[in-house]
Amino acid sequence: MEERIFKIIEIILTYASWPILVGILCFLFRSQIASLFEKILVSKNLKLSTPVGNFEGEFEESTKIQDEVKSTEPESIETNNNPSNWWYLDVTKALNENDEDKAKQLFEDFIQLNKNTVDYNSEHSFFLYKLYEHNQSESVLKEIQKIIEANNIYEDKRSYINSYIMCLDYTEQYKRAIDFLEKEIERISDHRGKVYLTIRLSKLYVSDLDLLSAKKIILQAISYASNNQKENLNNQLYSCYVQLAAIENKAGNKIHEALCLDKALEYDPTNKETLFSSAYASIGSTLDAIQISNYKQLLNLEPEHGAALNNLGVTAGNLSLKGISTNLWSSSSKAGFSLAMVNLGFILLECGYLKAAEEMANEALKVEKPHENVHQLLTKINKEKASEEKKWSEAIAYSKKLQKDLRLYVYYYYNEQSLIPNIDSWIDGNGKEVKLTVIGQIYKFEWMDESLEINYTASNTHGTVSGFYSKKIKEESRPSPLLGLNQKQKSVQCYGYFDDKNNHMVIFSPEINDETYINLKPKR
């Protein structure tokens, strides 16, 4: 809840043109704004989602089943322990009247009255930012910089560093902000602070439209935090992968955005917003495993999450599990999620709503002389339910397995030290020999099989590959069409990585309905 409020306030302070609305919100959230800078810059929320304009009316013509994002609304908070008269409204009014002397005096009066109840550094750094926002004076920047240079302890100057960067960001002085942060990162020894400022530096590179530098610097932060043995930097690793996801999003790499968000959850597995964002970002891709795993985890934390119930219903429907799908939409509808009711309407037209059919059949049994076909209907419903429950359990279990492999894939994809050994011959799990041919960044694995033509052709990045696995009967082994045998060719997108700990290559399809999963070991 707290970080959502910071994000909302940041947006309002940047764009709002309604002083009364701003005043009310700032009065309600005054204690939260006091530490605004250090919260919003590495917020765990990648985005603020609302249902307005996102997917209303956008659906596939065949089923018209719709996914939806969850809207986030600010909740009421207690303010009884806050100072009774925060400085922001009066200072803002004075600045709007171009009376900086009055604004400074009002702030100093506030500090004197509340010096025992507020964090001076947070309040003062925020005040200086507001002052700069008003006059864009170089003297304000020099004052902030002087305070930073006078402090050797990171915690004592953290708020001022954030304030300084916010000022430069406000006037789009990205190069200057980048130079400042690079020097400050070198100066500090605090591990968490070093990673935090590196994330902020990456954000500045994104603002400056330099995505290559943004990715390079965040990968350095991930390496630094991962190799640090002195402190637990899981929170920092979480924020690093969220930032990496933002970079991939900017670059248009939606699949890797979803993968990085899911990787972030390895370090903060109960973050509801990222659980939803990672699953939602994977919609339209082959990453069913991430959708199922993370929507399920979100529902473990919040069983009546209407949007997650609805979207998981869509995923189940894509796996042709109509009964599971409609039950999820029913739960979503009971949670008040209107889009699930729309989806239920379409599925009812296709006569796949098993729960409603069962309730109807049970009601029919209460009649004095029920029709004999009622029992036949119940038998069919129960058989279908048992079949789908079994498939759904298998899908959940297999999703967990694939999620683990996808996270290892992400690790090796971004690890510049990882590589696939240049070995000509490999052996698969069935004892078949597999030849590897490497031409530049293209890796081709070819199975030595007498009757089947099997190969996997993929592009290489560090210790990973990504491409297409295909299998078909060789022409010389193809039976006569008169035999009626299935001669369908198989072609599926697969990911792969070399597991340097277990010395084997893993190639797998991320699709739940395709169980292509191959282990290759170097031939001895």
Side-chain angles (χ1 to χ4, degrees), residues 148-204:
I148 294 171
E149 292 173 351
N151 281 288
N152 293 322
I153 301 174
Y154 172 70
E155 286 299 324
D156 292 342
K157 60 181 179 179
R158 177 173 56 180
S159 297
Y160 292 100
I161 292 174
N162 288 331
S163 178
Y164 188 73
I165 295 302
M166 291 276 291
C167 289
L168 295 177
D169 200 6
Y170 181 76
T171 49
E172 299 184 2
Q173 298 183 65
Y174 302 127
K175 295 287 192 295
R176 183 176 177 182
I178 289 169
D179 291 341
F180 165 79
L181 266 187
E182 286 177 340
K183 294 174 183 176
E184 199 60 39
I185 290 169
E186 289 294 323
R187 288 181 58 190
I188 67 171
S189 58
D190 183 280
H191 298 302
R192 290 184 174 85
K194 192 178 286 286
V195 177
Y196 168 84
L197 293 183
T198 304
I199 294 170
R200 190 64 186 95
L201 178 59
S202 176
K203 289 176 179 285
L204 285 170

Side-chain angles (χ1 to χ4, degrees), residues 241-283:
Y241 277 106
V242 168
Q243 172 60 10
L244 185 54
I247 295 168
E248 297 289 14
N249 175 275
K250 284 285 187 181
N253 300 326
K254 293 294 292 181
I255 289 180
H256 276 263
E257 176 195 3
L259 289 170
C260 288
L261 284 172
D262 180 70
K263 182 68 175 178
L265 290 166
E266 186 174 329
Y267 303 100
D268 186 3
T270 61
N271 188 285
K272 295 179 184 179
E273 284 76 13
T274 304
L275 281 166
F276 187 89
S277 295
S278 62
Y280 185 73
S282 66
I283 291 173

Side-chain angles (χ1 to χ4, degrees), residues 365-399:
L365 285 175
K366 297 176 183 179
V367 178
E368 185 175 352
K369 292 183 179 181
H371 193 281
E372 59 182 311
N373 288 350
V374 175
H375 294 285
Q376 184 179 351
L377 173 60
L378 281 170
T379 300
K380 184 176 180 180
I381 290 171
N382 290 331
K383 183 178 179 180
E384 186 69 12
K385 282 174 61 179
S387 173
E388 289 197 357
E389 288 292 348
K390 181 176 181 294
K391 291 179 181 178
W392 184 237
S393 296
E394 291 171 351
I396 291 172
Y398 195 56
S399 292

Side-chain angles (χ1 to χ4, degrees), residues 97-110:
E97 295 171 352
N98 293 317
D99 194 340
E100 290 189 7
D101 291 336
K102 183 179 179 181
K104 293 177 182 178
Q105 188 61 52
L106 286 167
F107 177 76
E108 290 173 5
D109 291 344
F110 167 82

Side-chain angles (χ1 to χ4, degrees), residues 409-439:
Y409 170 84
V410 172
Y411 171 77
Y412 287 113
Y413 182 92
Y414 289 105
N415 187 340
E416 296 180 352
Q417 304 303 316
S418 67
L419 52 83
I420 299 174
N422 193 3
I423 298 173
D424 294 334
S425 295
W426 302 70
I427 300 295
D428 72 7
N430 296 319
K432 292 285 186 181
E433 185 177 3
V434 180
K435 293 290 187 180
L436 171 60
T437 304
V438 179
I439 303 176

Side-chain angles (χ1 to χ4, degrees), residues 477-489:
S477 302
R478 193 177 296 278
S480 168
L482 296 177
L483 296 178
L485 297 179
N486 184 5
Q487 301 175 23
K488 186 177 181 181
Q489 177 178 337

